[in-house]
Amino acid sequence: MMRLRATHAKWGLSALGLAVLTGCASVSLEQNIGRVNDEAGSFTEGKLALARTQEERDQRAQAAQALLAQPLGQKETVQLALVNSPSLQALLAQGWAESADAAQVGRIANPIFSFERMTAGTELDLGRALSFGLLDLLTLPARHGIATRRIEQSQLRLTSDVVDQVTRVRQAWVRAVAAQQSLQYAKQVYDSAEAGAKLAKRMQGVGNFNRITRAREQAFYADAATRLSTAQHQVTASREELVRLLGLDESQAQALTLPKRLPDLPKQALDPQAVGSLATRARLDIRLAQAALDGAAKAQGLNMVTSFTDIELTGRRNTTFDNAEGTRSTARGWEIDVRLPLFDWGGMQRDAMNARTLAAANQLEATARAAGSSLRESYSAYRTAYDVARHYRDEVVPVRKVIAEENQLRYNGMLISAFELLADARDQVGAVTAALDAQQQFWL
């Protein structure tokens, strides 16, 4: 241990304290949420907020009630999630906590004040010491940079989580509305199949139908009943999924109403060049990987110093009272404690940090390389779904409608029987069901 004496110790400590106060990293909830609203404005419309008081929660409950008073389109469903979902509120609170933890890295530990009282005969010694981590002070700018980059990472992660949550809400809305559409069509098919089965039974009873003809009608009726039951459950399952994502309570769930059908297909599909340029600028995974690399590189530079040693600076003031002589003497000075790297030179710590930086660099490269491929695959799926849905809308369903109208005319002219008309209706079921599935897949 080395001891250094100085006459202006308190001024030096004051200067160090001022440097600490001016170099600390900080972050607020408003910064976090404002960043998410800026980065993901097309998902949150700038309305994302964390309710911290009862008044704010009451206001959100009123907003949710107003939204539930009418059928919820996809946009209104997202708005309801933003004001009502506890899981989304939990994401915001957790993101705030992560940012605060990241900011803590850029702050120096509090100084330690120690007081010592010693007596020896007629002498009384009072010792006072104020200790700082000198290495913490010297590396404060570097740790401030690390904290800033970790805050950036936590904010990007929060943005990504919010985007994922809103996307799940949108998809759940699509599935719930599509399930209602499918249920309505399943009911129509069931009613038609039930009528056909009853008519076939009567026709067999009077000898106009053989067993196999009646069995075909009965089998179609049984299949229709199965599809109806499945569609009814799918409506319940998809609706409850949406209820959970929106965080609705019992009364809110009962008030939830949805449109009867999905929106029409857009006139034109998105252009691949426009999608590519937008995704390249806005991809959160690439930006998050870049922030991770920057943070690892910054931390690696700091670790090169801290892995070797640690230094503590202490300012001392000792006062000695001699009761016999009635005198008092004061001693002032500095004390520096240095950890000697005799047994551990920090090699393993530096190796671990080098490995983390290398891993972050390769992860960034992997993410960047995969981004273009995943974008092309996603656009292909989107465009295929659009083309298939449009094909069913413009070609398949209209042709089936023409066939149904012509068969109706032929039936009215007594050119075909009722069962031939029902058989044509059975042929339409697959086409209409596939059309509904294609429309749902496009919106997903």
Side-chain angles (χ1 to χ4, degrees), residues 128-317:
R128 287 142 296 192
L130 188 64
S131 301
F132 292 89
L134 182 58
L135 201 58
D136 284 349
L137 285 170
L138 297 176
T139 59
L140 183 59
R143 291 189 294 107
H144 181 275
I146 292 173
T148 301
R149 283 161 177 80
R150 290 188 179 180
I151 291 171
E152 171 81 5
Q153 285 181 264
S154 68
Q155 290 175 340
L156 286 173
R157 276 194 296 268
L158 176 60
T159 302
S160 179
D161 291 341
V162 170
V163 167
D164 287 342
Q165 184 78 0
V166 172
T167 300
R168 290 174 59 198
V169 170
R170 288 176 170 177
Q171 292 176 333
W173 179 88
V174 170
R175 283 190 284 267
V177 176
Q180 289 185 165
Q181 268 187 272
S182 297
L183 177 60
Q184 292 302 316
Y185 184 66
K187 287 179 178 178
Q188 296 175 14
V189 173
Y190 175 80
D191 292 340
S192 175
E194 184 181 32
K198 290 180 179 178
L199 181 59
K201 182 178 181 180
R202 289 198 297 268
M203 295 293 282
Q204 185 187 21
V206 297
N208 291 332
F209 262 22
N210 55 32
R211 292 181 61 190
I212 191 170
T213 303
R214 186 211 164 174
R216 288 194 184 99
E217 297 298 328
Q218 191 67 30
F220 178 63
Y221 171 60
D223 290 341
T226 301
R227 284 194 294 269
L228 178 60
S229 296
T230 301
Q232 288 171 336
H233 169 70
Q234 191 58 41
V235 166
T236 300
S238 59
R239 181 184 175 88
E240 292 303 325
E241 179 190 12
L242 182 60
V243 166
R244 290 191 295 272
L245 289 172
L246 295 176
L248 303 181
D249 59 26
E250 196 71 27
S251 61
Q252 289 176 323
Q254 294 177 358
L256 175 64
T257 56
L258 298 171
K260 294 182 179 180
R261 60 190 303 276
L262 291 172
D264 294 332
L265 295 176
K267 295 181 179 179
Q268 296 291 335
L270 295 176
D271 182 75
Q273 284 76 23
V275 172
S277 62
L278 177 63
T280 302
R281 292 194 305 269
R283 281 193 73 103
L284 292 172
D285 53 354
I286 295 179
R287 296 172 58 194
L288 188 56
Q290 181 65 60
L293 175 59
D294 294 342
K298 193 73 175 177
Q300 183 180 13
L302 177 63
N303 185 260
M304 292 297 292
V305 177
T306 59
S307 63
F308 280 105
T309 186
D310 191 14
I311 305 174
E312 185 176 280
L313 173 66
T314 303
R316 286 192 172 276
R317 178 184 174 92

Side-chain angles (χ1 to χ4, degrees), residues 398-417:
V399 168
R400 284 294 180 183
K401 183 178 180 181
V402 170
I403 293 173
E405 291 173 350
E406 290 299 319
N407 279 329
Q408 184 66 49
L409 293 174
R410 295 176 67 196
Y411 172 75
N412 293 339
M414 297 185 180
L415 298 177
I416 61 173
S417 68

